[in-house]
Amino acid sequence: MWDQRLVRLAVLQQLRAVYGIKVKGGRGHCDRKRQESAAAETGGKVFGVPFNALPHSVVPEYGHIPSFLVDACTSLQEHIHTEGLFRKSGSVIRLKALKNKLDHGEGCLLSAPPCDIAGLLKQFFRELPKPILPADLHEALFKAQQLGTEEKTKATLLLSCLMGDHTVKVLRYFFNFLRNVALRSSENKMDSSNLAVIFAPNLLQTSEGHEKMSSNTEKKLRLQAAGVYQILSWKRYLLCWVWMASVLPHLWKALKKVNVKLLVNIRENEDKV
């Protein structure tokens, strides 16, 4: 396959030269990969452990996705019309009990209320050892959302190419689920903006931890989540990734010379996806 270091270098060069976006920490993806591959056995726990240490299910078109995420989204799909889904809080006592059962390998989602499952899903992302959207991309994602509509889309696509393969698969799966939720917003009152506000603190963890976020931090998180959700959940992101996966290694030298112009000029073609 292609030299991933060359891909990363070309993407970083394009982001800086065209959009004025610098990505902090040039080894974020590699470090994250090493941390996950070195994760110790977690005794079947679901919450607070790296993705690779979790049981996985094979989902057509997406690959290996954490089983809890698949089970939770599948269960919520049956209640996707529920008003205030993800906004209304579940019972704290029930959530604690459900979490304990899941961490001990017990299946309990089928009989759980939808608001409790939604609460568990948010907690699952919030308690990951590392945020699913890499911390070294947070500031760059925020800057990308300040650009014009077309430039914002292209810059965010390029930033998504700096994420790990497994992260990409999980995000595609989850964002597609959120898209289905938003499509029923006339019933559940949860459009893409509302979902972005809800999931911003969970998908984009900050150094402020569980303390109350400042208004500036909260604004940044909302902008980041809204932009990433609206772009990555649609088919143009899939087109970008499929194109990358199909390029032969010898083409990357030419690709570097044109500063990834082929990549950023890809257009969505709904009829062919």
Side-chain angles (χ1 to χ4, degrees), residues 50-109:
F51 279 136
N52 77 303
L54 293 168
H56 281 66
S57 300
V58 177
V59 181
E61 300 183 20
Y62 297 97
H64 291 82
I65 306 297
S67 296
F68 166 74
L69 183 60
V70 175
D71 293 342
C73 290
T74 301
S75 296
L76 288 176
Q77 193 71 38
E78 302 295 322
H79 305 279
I80 206 169
H81 60 280
T82 302
E83 183 173 342
L85 189 65
F86 291 114
R87 178 173 52 80
K88 294 182 178 179
S89 301
S91 164
V92 175
I93 295 176
R94 289 199 304 267
L95 283 173
K96 186 176 181 180
L98 289 169
K99 179 183 176 184
N100 185 59
K101 288 182 178 180
L102 288 166
D103 275 341
H104 285 82
E106 297 182 38
C108 54
L109 296 182

Side-chain angles (χ1 to χ4, degrees), residues 163-214:
M163 300 178 190
D165 291 347
H166 192 219
T167 297
V168 169
K169 293 175 183 178
V170 174
L171 285 174
R172 280 187 53 225
Y173 177 82
F174 184 59
F175 284 163
N176 187 64
F177 166 73
L178 290 184
R179 175 178 177 270
N180 291 334
V181 174
L183 288 174
R184 298 288 290 273
S185 61
S186 60
E187 301 169 78
N188 58 39
K189 312 302 180 186
M190 297 300 295
D191 59 18
S192 60
S193 296
N194 290 333
L195 289 169
V197 169
I198 293 295
F199 277 99
N202 302 296
L203 299 180
L204 293 143
Q205 304 168 25
T206 70
S207 58
E208 296 179 38
H210 297 290
E211 299 176 5
K212 184 176 178 61
M213 291 186 296
S214 66

